[in-house]
Structure formats: C-alpha cells, structure tokens
Amino acid sequence: MASTEALSGRRPPTALPRLRVPAWALVLPPVAALGLVFLHPLALVLWQSVSPEGGGHGFSAYADVFAQAAFRDALRNTVLIAAGSTAGALVLGFALALVIAFVPFPGGRAVGRFVDVFLSFPSFLITLALLFVYGSAGMANGVWTGVTGAASGPFDFLHTPWGVLLAEITYFTPFVMRPLLGAFSRIETAQIEVAASLGAKAPRIVRQVILPEALPALAAGGSLVLVMCLNEFGIVLFTGAKGVTTLPVLVYGKAILDGDYTGACVVAVVNIVLSLALYGLYRMLTTRMDGVRRARA
Amino acid sequence: MTTGIRFDGVTVAYGGTTVLESFGLTVEPGEVMALLGPSGSGKTTALRAVAGFVRPTAGRVFIGDRDVTALPPHRRGIGMVVQQYALFPHMKAGANVAFGLKAHKVPRGEIAARVAEALEMTGMSAYAGRYPRELSGGQQQRVAIARALAIRPGVLLLDEPLSALDARLRSGMLTELARLHRELPDVSMLYVTHDQVEALTLADRIAVMDGGRLQDCGTPQDLYRRPGSAFTASFIGSANLLPVTVTDGGVRLGGTRLDVPAGGAAAGASATLCVRPHLVGLGAGPNALRGTVTEVQWRGATHRLGVDIAGHRVTAELRELRETPPLGTEVTVHFAAHDAVLLPAGADGGEARG
Ligand SMILES: Nc1ncnc2c1ncn2[C@@H]1O[C@H](COP(=O)(O)OP(=O)(O)OP(=O)(O)O)[C@@H](O)[C@H]1O
Ligand SMILES: [Mg+2]
C-alpha cells in the first residue's frame, strides 16, 4: 500500500481521476447484505433458544436439552463420525490422489476429471448406491446368499455408525482429492527425479518431498470435510436414521416431528458452536504442525 | 566408487518417434564430457537414460562396468543437477544437502560433517540455514551441486546447470565448476549444454549431437581446428562453409583454384571447405578471393567484414581496421592453406554462423 503514492505519481495524465470514497462506505453494502440474509436469522435462532415456552428469557431450555440422553448420544455420534470421516477421507484421498497424479496409467486424466464431476453429486445418491451394494437386500448379500446358500448375508452395518462412516468417507474423499490434485500438479517433476537420483525410494519421496508440499491443500480439504461432516444431514437420514442420530438430525426431529422449536434452536446453536470450535481446533493443529515441520526442516 | 559412463547403441523412442538413435559414447573415469547440440537434439534424453528416467528401447547403459540399463534411478548412485535447481522448497539448504545422505542411510553422526564438507566445497557454508527462496539463483544452484556431491557419486550429470543464470554469474560458475572438477579428479561428469563457450571452457571432450545422433566427438581443440562435419564446424565456433569441387592437388570454388590439401578426397567430388572467420585476411595473399563488401560490423577489438564472392558469403573477422572499405567496393581476402579444412559435402554449405 505504501507504493500507491509512487504509482499514482507515475500514472499517465489520461488516467481517470480516482473517486475518493471512504473505505467504510465500500464495505457497508456487503456487510448489510450479509447481516440481512445470514446474521439476522442466526440471531433469531439464538434468541429463540433463550426464550423458553413458558415465557421470559433464560437458559432453562439448554438445561433441559443437555439433560436428555438422546442429546448426549447425538453429540457423541456427531463428533465421532465427523472426526472419523475426516480422518478416513484424508488418508484415502491422499492415497488416491497420489496414484492419480504420479502413477501413469491409461485413463488417469479421465479419473482426475471424474473427481470434479463427483463433487457435484448429491450426498444421498452415494448413500443410495451403498444401499444397493451393502443393504440387506443388496448385491453383496445377494452374492453371499447365492454362494453359501444361507438365508441372509452378513452385511448389515449400513444402519450403524459404521455405515454412516463408510458413506461419508465415500462421499467426502473427492473433496480432499480436488485440492490435493491441484497441489500435486504444481510439484516440479525435477524435484521428484532429483530425490530419486539421490537414492530415495518412493515412500521417502512421498513423505519428505510430496507430503510437505501438499500439507496446505490437505489442511484445506480436511477442514472443509470436517465442517461438512459435522453438518451432514442427508447421509445420516438415509443410512443411520434408525439407530444413529446426529445433531442436525436431532434438530430436524425436534423442530419438524416434535414441534419443539426452542429445543431445536438449542441443538442448532450447539451444532454451530461445535462446528466453529472443532474447525478452530483443527486449524490450530494444522498451523502448529506446519510450524513444527518448518522448524525441523 | 564406480565411475565412467558408457552408452552402447542406446535408442530411445517416445511413442513412435525416435529421439535418440544407436547412441554410442564413452565417458572415461574422471572425464568431463560435454553434450553439445541444438534444442531437441536429444541431449537431455541421453542424460536421462543414464539417470534411469527413460528406458532405452535398445542398447545398454553402463556406469563403470555395471550394466544399469534395468536399474531404477535410486540404485544408480548418480548425482544430478538440473537447470531449474529443483531444491526442496520446505527444507533449508543444509537439509537439502543432507537428503541424499539420509536416503543412503549414512550414520547420523557422519551426516553433519559431510553436509558441511559439501557446502564448503561449493562456497555455501554460510547459507546452510537458509531456505531456497532466501537464496539467489546462483546460490541455489551451488546448493544443488553440493546436494549432488554430498553422496560422493562416481558420476555427476548436469543438465544445462547455468542456463538460468545471467552472463556474469555464468562465467563465475564456470570457473567454480572447473575448480570442482580439479578437486574431484575421479568423478565423471556429463554436462549437457547448448552453449559452446561452456563446452569449450569446461569439457575434456565434447560430443556434438544433432537429430538424436552423435555427430562428432573429440577434444575442444580437435573439434575446433579439425571439425569432422559441416555441422560441427558451424556449431563450435563460427565458420565459413564454401561448396567446392575437389581437383588434382586442390579444390575449385566456382572458377577459382584454391591450394588446399585435399586429403583422400577423389578428384571431381563435391566437398565443403571450412575456414574460420578470424583466419581470413584482407588483401593479397595465398588463396586470394575477390568479392564485394556487403557488410561491415564494428565489434570493438575487431571488424567483421561480410564479402560476397561469386554468390557465396565469406565472413572475415579482422583486427580493428583504421579505415574500413566502403560497402559495395571490391576487396581481396585470403587464407593460409593449413587453416582450411576440407569436409564431406554438407547440406548447409555457404552458411556462416556466428
Ligand atoms: N516425455 C517426452 N515425450 C515425448 N517426446 C519427448 C519427451 N521428452 C522429449 N521429447 C522429444 O525428444 C526430443 C529430444 O528432447 P530432449 O529433451 O532430449 O532435447 P534437448 O537436446 O535436451 O533439447 P534442449 O536443448 O531444448 O533441452 C525432442 O524432440 C522432444 O520433443
Ligand atoms: Mg534439454
């Protein structure tokens, strides 16, 4: 910014005179729009959560909700499933992106482009597909009963937290792969070749040359997936609905099925706070890891 | 330490196109061999065949007496330096140099000393704690060289290591590389360049490549004074190449008889006469040729005269002239018989490069 003066001094005289608009005036419209469409409803939810049925204002609704076993279950499920899905998507996404980017195989580019298409699929589509494969009447069980002659197959995990985890990892892995593929394409081939000529085998090259370059992309993909998992609704509704409840599903249940709007708002507020807190924690961890890595190198 | 490189009829093809054809070349232990050639002539490809990044479709590559044709790159024990440095950006200079040592499982206690030694050798000791982005291009290339040397390779491959540097820095680095070569008398170096000055300065021998084939190979002096082909003559230094016909005891350029040793060439055969511009004199003398001045260039210490002789352009590089002949006037130029080289007829006769 310090160079603005020098630059404008050298500007040819034909340049238009600059309109002197104060910075805050430029910021005002977007902030107002943001407030109207985003912050205002959020405030309404907050306000509703501290306005219990009986009238007056206070945190009694929070105490009620926190005391419910269903809420504590949902909270635990939400955190565990989100953390597990994120970890799974990171590992799987990194491995798949590595193969697509660095192992030449016919159709590799097509696979890379398919990742982009996959991102546009609705999440319940994946769940539906998994139901066809692993559902109680799905292909996997069909093969099993066909081969063994048993009355029913062994695959019956889709309605458990494991089913939700599998569906979320399947659906969210491409969200990790997309930024990774971008990062990998920016790594100089010469670096990898020099590393190999210096005697490094593939695992060392991945660990010490590729991974450090991919960390920012990995962090970005991971944080995206974490937040999306915390708020995922469709997948949980399709797979786990019978046994597995998460916070978004609980909000839905309280608001639509029970008509308990205050309770729904309380859970929603908890969900938002949880999202922000976990996201903050994640960013703190990744920046610290980055710092340690830089210090060590 | 195995050292020395041998290409034995190496052919490399990408898809259907052959980019290296029956390439045969031996780099002796401790020798610096420059691979010189125009862009696309297959220099990098030859180097990558040694490093193990391209698989020859035919032929074998030896390092020392070890056949490495089927060996993966990490088992070849080669130092490699490339044009764009390729330092690992998230590692400091010291860690970059240590990378190969760790990969080779050198004992921890030994690593620090060998990193220091390699950095010392390239004059980069003071910069061990800097990230690549905090170093200039020349400094980065020194670190890259230190990184390649730290593993004490028998063979060092350099692919246009100085191309990304400016002219001043380049000549300084050339001197440094020559010193490194003296300090490491056992290391064979294969040095890819398209810059003849680098090749002439640094190399013990030069291999001239064109179109995926080895055109010529010899010491810089040999190739400069006695080039084996018109291509070599025009690529190493500049050359006047004149289409001539061999006669008994000489050659004929158009109607002019020239007294040039014809060697074994049969009378009546077409040939190309090569004379270096700085060996062409102005005025009467042996092998005099008359023509009109078409160009006069002042180059400080010299004048460069372009003379049209019966449709062929001859360039003379002369010590600075007091008075230059005006354009269009008739002049006589000459050259000594022993300064001329008779080459097999080249496709690009009559062209001078400079
Ligand atoms: N990976 C590749 N796939 C297909 N063709 C290639 C590949 N690498 C090189 N070539 C071709 O092989 C030929 C020789 O390339 P090479 O890189 O060896 O040339 P070079 O002599 O090093 O040129 P330069 O001086 O420009 O670096 C070129 O025609 C190039 O287009
Ligand atoms: Mg090249």
Side-chain angles (χ1 to χ4, degrees):
Chain A
M1 281 298 103
S3 60
T4 316
E5 296 287 337
L7 280 179
S8 56
R10 252 183 278 128
R11 194 171 286 162
T14 51
L16 289 173
R18 265 180 57 177
L19 276 176
R20 284 264 147 228
V21 181
W24 60 263
L26 293 175
V27 176
L28 212 54
V31 167
L34 194 72
L36 205 65
V37 303
F38 180 70
L39 293 177
H40 182 242
L42 204 64
L44 286 183
V45 168
L46 253 175
W47 186 246
Q48 176 75 48
S49 75
V50 292
S51 312
E53 309 269 281
H57 299 294
F59 290 94
S60 61
Y62 280 83
D64 288 349
V65 169
F66 288 174
Q68 294 162 11
F71 169 78
R72 288 200 299 269
D73 265 1
L75 185 63
R76 202 187 54 236
N77 279 340
T78 309
V79 173
L80 288 181
I81 289 174
S85 304
T86 306
L90 281 176
V91 172
L92 192 62
F94 186 72
L96 288 178
L98 262 187
V99 172
I100 291 177
F102 295 110
V103 184
F105 63 95
R109 291 169 63 96
V111 173
R113 272 195 294 275
F114 177 73
V115 170
D116 290 350
V117 179
F118 194 95
L119 296 184
S120 64
F121 287 178
S123 57
F124 61 79
L125 195 71
I126 305 307
T127 322
L128 218 54
L130 286 179
L131 277 174
F132 279 122
V133 180
Y134 298 112
S136 40
M139 278 156 47
N141 282 323
V143 169
W144 181 272
T145 50
V147 171
T148 62
S152 65
F155 300 105
D156 185 26
F157 59 90
L158 272 189
H159 298 296
T160 68
W162 296 109
V164 179
L165 200 66
L166 176 71
E168 291 201 351
I169 290 177
T170 311
Y171 181 65
F172 287 116
T173 295
F175 288 78
V176 174
M177 290 167 69
R178 185 60 269 172
L180 272 181
L181 286 174
F184 288 167
S185 72
R186 284 190 299 275
I187 296 181
E188 280 181 63
T189 328
Q191 278 180 28
I192 294 169
E193 292 185 350
V194 166
S197 76
L198 286 168
K201 294 197 206 74
R204 179 183 293 271
I205 294 177
V206 169
R207 242 183 12 251
Q208 299 193 344
V209 180
I210 296 175
L211 184 62
E213 291 303 297
L215 269 192
L218 214 53
S223 59
L224 182 70
V225 169
L226 181 71
V227 171
M228 288 172 80
C229 282
L230 282 171
N231 300 310
E232 180 56 39
F233 181 64
I235 290 179
V236 189
L237 200 66
F238 261 70
T239 49
K242 289 176 193 156
V244 188
T245 311
T246 60
L247 291 180
V249 175
L250 195 62
V251 174
Y252 171 77
K254 280 199 182 309
I256 307 299
L257 305 181
D258 304 346
D260 174 9
Y261 283 103
T262 308
C265 286
V266 168
V267 180
V269 169
V270 171
N271 199 359
I272 293 166
V273 170
L274 184 70
S275 283
L276 290 178
L278 278 186
Y279 178 76
L281 184 72
Y282 178 88
R283 292 309 302 206
M284 214 174 74
L285 280 178
T286 47
T287 41
R288 175 158 316 163
M289 259 163 55
D290 202 42
V292 169
R293 182 175 58 83
R294 281 184 190 287
R296 231 193 359 226
Chain B
M1 184 165 67
T2 43
T3 179
I5 306 166
R6 187 154 63 86
F7 294 89
D8 189 0
V10 173
T11 299
V12 174
Y14 288 115
T17 43
T18 304
V19 297
L20 200 63
E21 208 170 335
S22 310
F23 189 71
L25 183 70
T26 303
V27 185
E28 301 295 341
E31 186 181 37
V32 177
M33 175 73 80
L35 274 187
L36 185 65
S39 188
S41 55
K43 308 179 296 289
T44 298
T45 306
L47 184 121
R48 289 167 62 80
V50 180
F53 298 117
V54 294
R55 199 39 113 60
T57 46
R60 320 231 43 101
V61 179
F62 295 85
I63 295 176
D65 39 22
R66 197 162 58 121
D67 183 346
V68 298
T69 318
L71 229 52
H74 68 264
R75 290 185 47 203
R76 297 197 179 194
I78 279 172
M80 196 164 93
V81 177
V82 296
Q83 180 182 342
Q84 61 278 36
Y85 325 132
L87 292 177
F88 308 125
H90 55 278
M91 293 182 200
K92 290 177 178 168
N96 264 283
V97 177
F99 183 90
L101 298 173
K102 288 181 184 160
H104 276 94
K105 306 264 184 323
V106 171
R108 271 186 170 279
E110 217 177 293
I111 289 181
R114 284 184 54 180
V115 168
E117 178 194 65
L119 285 172
E120 174 77 46
M121 216 177 326
T122 53
M124 288 301 293
S125 299
Y127 300 90
R130 294 237 195 136
Y131 284 104
R133 61 173 179 277
E134 299 165 340
L135 297 170
S136 73
Q139 291 167 338
Q140 288 188 52
Q141 196 57 293
R142 283 161 193 265
V143 174
I145 294 170
R147 177 177 65 179
L149 291 177
I151 59 170
R152 295 187 184 149
V155 166
L156 188 62
L157 305 177
L158 303 115
D159 193 354
E160 310 205 16
L162 308 184
S163 313
L165 307 178
D166 67 52
R168 279 260 315 276
L169 210 52
R170 195 152 40 200
S171 74
M173 283 291 281
L174 264 180
T175 319
E176 291 276 297
L177 284 173
R179 178 183 57 75
L180 274 177
H181 175 41
R182 284 195 304 276
E183 287 177 13
L184 301 166
D186 298 328
V187 178
S188 302
M189 299 193 197
L190 191 59
Y191 188 103
V192 166
T193 179
H194 55 241
D195 183 315
Q196 47 158 315
V197 176
E198 286 177 24
L200 290 170
T201 313
L202 201 61
D204 298 316
R205 281 194 300 157
I206 300 176
V208 182
M209 293 185 67
D210 189 34
R213 289 169 169 279
L214 182 66
Q215 294 292 330
D216 227 330
C217 180
T219 65
Q221 293 79 1
D222 271 354
L223 292 184
Y224 190 77
R225 300 213 182 105
R226 301 272 140 207
S229 68
F231 180 80
T232 308
S234 63
F235 208 78
I236 297 182
S238 48
N240 291 303
L241 299 172
L242 301 168
V244 295
T245 312
V246 179
T247 60
D248 282 332
V251 300
R252 224 179 44 239
L253 172 68
T256 318
R257 239 196 74 85
L258 296 171
D259 173 27
V260 168
S270 310
T272 301
L273 187 68
C274 164
V275 188
R276 299 289 181 189
H278 70 277
L279 299 174
V280 177
L282 188 62
N287 293 319
L289 293 162
R290 282 192 73 72
T292 43
V293 178
T294 57
E295 193 183 8
V296 180
Q297 270 182 15
W298 180 63
R299 300 196 150 197
T302 61
H303 267 104
R304 175 174 286 204
L305 241 55
V307 182
D308 180 82
I309 295 167
H312 305 296
R313 190 189 142 94
V314 171
T315 304
E317 189 102 29
L318 306 160
R319 252 218 354 245
E320 193 186 9
L321 300 169
R322 287 264 159 65
E323 281 170 35
T324 54
L327 290 183
T329 49
E330 284 241 321
V331 292
T332 305
V333 293
H334 68 271
F335 60 90
H338 63 261
D339 286 338
V341 181
L342 202 59
L343 304 168
D348 53 359
E351 282 295 309
R353 285 182 45 132

